[in-house]
Amino acid sequence: MKIYYYGHFCFAVEAGGKRILFDPYVTPNKLAKDVDVDEIPADFILISHGHEDHVADAVRIAKRTKATVICNYEVSEWLMKKGLKNVQGMNHGGCGSWDFGRVKYVSAVHSSVLPDGTYGGNPGGFVIESRDGNFYYSGDTALTLDMKLIGESVRLHFAALCIGDFFTMGVPDAIKACDFIQCNNVLGVHYDTFPPIRLDKEKAIADFDAAGKKLHLPRIGSSRKI
Ligand code: NI
Ligand code: MN
């Protein structure tokens, strides 16, 4: 599947003929200064939770692209108050179908509040099933046994997993998560953006490799097939 990486947890996937963008956080990210936020295409924008480093550019991109935004109920209410109309608020365990495929909002162990202090509901991740392949996007989360349920029910082509530690899983727990979700093809995200989540990238790739798993760490602004 083709992915586009914009830094932190922001990436896009081509699936079902649509461009699906996740957790838009570009303009505040110094590491993504060469990415033009006003050039990022999106047919759908999926948001895992309300933290600034996941929603910062959501309204700006959604207004320009007219993308449908899919997120949890509380974040959807906040986005509609910011002027977005095409927003679909889900909650944990629920599935929805759109023309690119099927989306399930799954649990994450983390916290969630919107940048202005508005309650953000509970954070989550997404499992996406499409004709081009299935994938899991963990959102910010600790390692959780709930991930085993994903591995038992869906055959994943790849997973976007947080690996930066401190706020989320680090590399050792992300490697365990691969076993839970039964997927060894990983896009690593949520690292390097802030000092506490600086990552030794060579070591991370070697640690995944030693466990028989492939870790992709694309350059910010690049795309690749994974
Ligand atoms: Ni967060
Ligand atoms: Mn985060």
Side-chain angles (χ1 to χ4, degrees), residues 8 49 53-54 140 190:
H8 203 51
H49 65 297
D53 60 318
H54 299 258
D140 286 4
H190 214 272

Side-chain angles (χ1 to χ4, degrees), residues 3-121:
I3 62 103
Y4 303 79
Y5 186 55
Y6 301 114
H8 203 51
F9 219 136
C10 184
F11 68 103
V13 180
E14 273 174 13
K18 302 291 178 187
R19 187 75 68 95
I20 305 156
L21 178 70
F22 295 89
D23 285 1
Y25 172 80
V26 177
T27 53
N29 184 359
K30 289 189 184 72
L31 301 180
K33 63 181 182 342
D34 293 333
V35 175
D36 183 351
V37 73
D38 294 320
E39 293 288 327
I40 297 176
D43 298 302
F44 290 85
I45 301 173
L46 272 61
I47 298 174
S48 63
H49 65 297
H51 285 158
E52 160 81 10
D53 60 318
H54 299 258
V55 303
D57 293 310
V59 171
R60 180 170 174 168
I61 297 173
K63 281 191 172 164
R64 174 178 54 81
T65 59
K66 312 265 190 299
T68 301
V69 181
I70 302 171
C71 54
N72 76 1
Y73 172 76
E74 290 80 4
V75 174
S76 78
E77 290 285 300
W78 184 80
L79 290 170
M80 286 192 276
K81 284 195 184 117
K82 299 276 173 198
L84 297 187
K85 294 193 171 62
N86 196 8
V87 186
Q88 309 269 312
M90 304 180 70
N91 220 325
H92 294 88
C95 290
S97 289
W98 286 270
D99 48 6
F100 66 91
R102 188 166 176 264
V103 175
K104 185 171 191 180
Y105 191 60
V106 296
S107 57
V109 175
H110 190 63
S111 60
S112 180
V113 65
L114 278 310
D116 60 6
T118 302
Y119 173 62

